[in-house]
Amino acid sequence: MRARGRAGVCARLGRGSLKPMSVSLPPDTNQPLFPGRARRPGRARAGSRVTGCREAGQMPAPLSQKIGQKKLQLAESQQQQIPKDRPPSSLGLQRSIYFSSPEDHPARLGPEFFDQPAVTLARAFLGQVLVRRLADGTELRGRIVETEAYLGPEDEAAHSRGGRQTPRNRGMFMKPGTLYVYIIYGMYFCLNVSSQGAGACVLLRALEPLEGLDTMRQLRSTLRKSTVSRTLKDRELCSGPSKLCQALAIDKSFDQRDLTQDEAVWLEHGPLATGSPAVVAAARIGIGHAGEWTQKPLRFYVQGSPWVSVVDRVAEQMCQPQQTA
């Protein structure tokens, strides 16, 4: 009777009503197969497989559903315990560079930008943005508006004139994009960048402050050798080679650093906001001892910029307006 009852149940349900189940049973043991339900000896052997309707050793359908529901609930509870805002561990420390998101600031300029002759590079610098990251993470930015080109051994005004190399000017002979920082008057620093050609470089003379002006003003007030305590105007912050070094906290420790890789200072692409203003080519400043080289038009600045250190009205009248690269 019991056998016929089971067969009748299978017949009524049909083969498609129950999904076949495959259960691997553990080796014979005195422990019950399921908690609270003792295994009946002789109904199934270790390692046997049972399929179809309820035969010896098969897990009852209601119990299987309960176990499945418990597993699903457990998985959901574990998932809820994981903070949704926690970043994947594989990402590691995220940083700007040269460190900031592309939406905020463009990427730094690479080696190919600096690998050009000094005059060409001096012009190309105009409009680019010099970035200085301080130890506390503060970033200072200034648009370059004035430069001077120094052509190498032939240039009587260059520190590399005659091809001489010293520990002081070694940065001028290193690969393009290397910083050359030197001291003037025993207390001020000037920032140069090496270009194509041994001993050639470009002096950065003036910046238009863009970001971190309050910090620049504080640095200038702390570092300048003046008894005047008045508050500096914005146009006074970086209008000169030594002023911009003070405003960006650049000293001799930056000498021979690679501007394409350094994490504290780099250059970003920054087209001039006013489009393509005229570039003035004038004589360099403070090189009266260099003979005919004192008058060569190797200083370049953005015409009409209020951030330029020295305006040459004669040069502006004589030279034809030229477009920046």
Side-chain angles (χ1 to χ4, degrees), residues 73-85:
Q73 292 173 357
L74 179 61
E76 291 177 350
S77 64
Q78 291 176 345
Q79 186 68 23
Q80 291 174 356
Q81 293 176 1
I82 301 176
K84 294 183 179 180
D85 58 348

Side-chain angles (χ1 to χ4, degrees), residues 56 106 117 284 290:
R284 293 172 292 185

